[in-house]
Amino acid sequence: NFCQVLMVLNGLKKESHYVGKIYLPQTTTYVVGMNYILSQCFKEIYIHKSALNAGSSEVYIVCKFFQGVEKEIVDKLFEIKNNLSINKTFVDIPKEFLEEYSKVMSFFAQRNDNHIQRNIYYYENPSSLINPKKIESIHRQNSSNWIKFYKFR
């Protein structure tokens, strides 16, 4: 993840976008630091979790409109990459960023917990599940709607 972000910062053109697959939890010190740096280099940054894969720890970080980064920052990141420690900070992160970041990570952790609890319930109560034919019908309708929306053939 560190080297991937480092290459993005070093090679992306201004106003470009970046989408990266990341895994929860995103709480180690160096990961929070990298996400903070991304938040400073892009106009917009989002963390997206697919509803289709609710039980997975996989999320996407969506960064829009790259503003550039100072060469000194990239050079410093290249210097520290070989001595990187997950518990050491390499950037000063404002308290406000950490508070908002904590809220977002707590939200995703709660969603994962809810999904696990729901799976346990259905495992213990299989008769409460919806008819498999109904599920297939809903799946086909959602797929059809998606294809129409994105104008695929």
Side-chain angles (χ1 to χ4, degrees):
N1 190 25
F2 185 90
C3 289
Q4 181 181 14
V5 171
L6 186 56
M7 297 316 312
V8 166
L9 295 176
N10 193 51
L12 204 60
K13 294 179 182 178
K14 284 194 175 187
E15 296 300 314
S16 294
H17 310 303
Y18 164 68
V19 177
K21 185 190 310 186
I22 57 178
Y23 295 90
L24 297 174
Q26 288 281 298
T27 56
T28 57
T29 305
Y30 93 90
V31 171
V32 175
M34 288 306 296
N35 289 338
Y36 173 71
I37 289 173
L38 286 172
S39 77
Q40 299 304 295
C41 295
F42 288 86
K43 278 186 186 177
E44 300 173 23
I45 186 168
Y46 308 94
I47 296 179
H48 174 76
K49 174 89 171 122
S50 170
L52 297 175
N53 202 1
S56 169
S57 64
E58 176 183 290
V59 295
Y60 296 89
I61 188 161
V62 180
C63 305
K64 297 179 76 175
F65 307 107
F66 182 61
Q67 299 301 292
V69 62
E70 295 175 15
K71 184 179 179 339
E72 295 80 29
I73 292 174
V74 173
D75 291 346
K76 178 71 174 166
L77 292 173
F78 270 111
E79 279 179 33
I80 65 172
K81 77 172 176 58
N82 292 328
N83 299 314
L84 192 61
S85 170
I86 63 171
N87 297 318
K88 290 184 182 175
T89 187
F90 57 90
V91 62
D92 291 327
I93 304 171
K95 181 180 176 183
E96 297 81 20
F97 178 86
L98 291 173
E99 289 170 351
E100 186 65 27
Y101 192 83
S102 178
K103 288 178 193 174
V104 171
M105 291 301 118
S106 293
F107 170 78
F108 284 118
Q110 184 62 52
R111 280 186 62 185
N112 277 358
D113 184 53
N114 291 346
H115 183 78
I116 291 166
Q117 293 301 322
R118 191 171 41 252
N119 283 347
I120 291 169
Y121 171 80
Y122 287 128
Y123 177 77
E124 293 173 347
N125 302 285
S127 62
S128 65
L129 288 171
I130 192 169
N131 180 325
K133 289 183 181 181
K134 178 71 172 169
I135 292 174
E136 181 63 27
S137 172
I138 292 169
H139 176 73
R140 287 180 194 271
Q141 185 60 48
N142 286 342
S143 295
S144 176
N145 290 343
W146 189 84
I147 289 168
K148 286 177 188 173
F149 181 82
Y150 289 104
K151 298 177 180 139
F152 284 108
R153 296 178 185 231

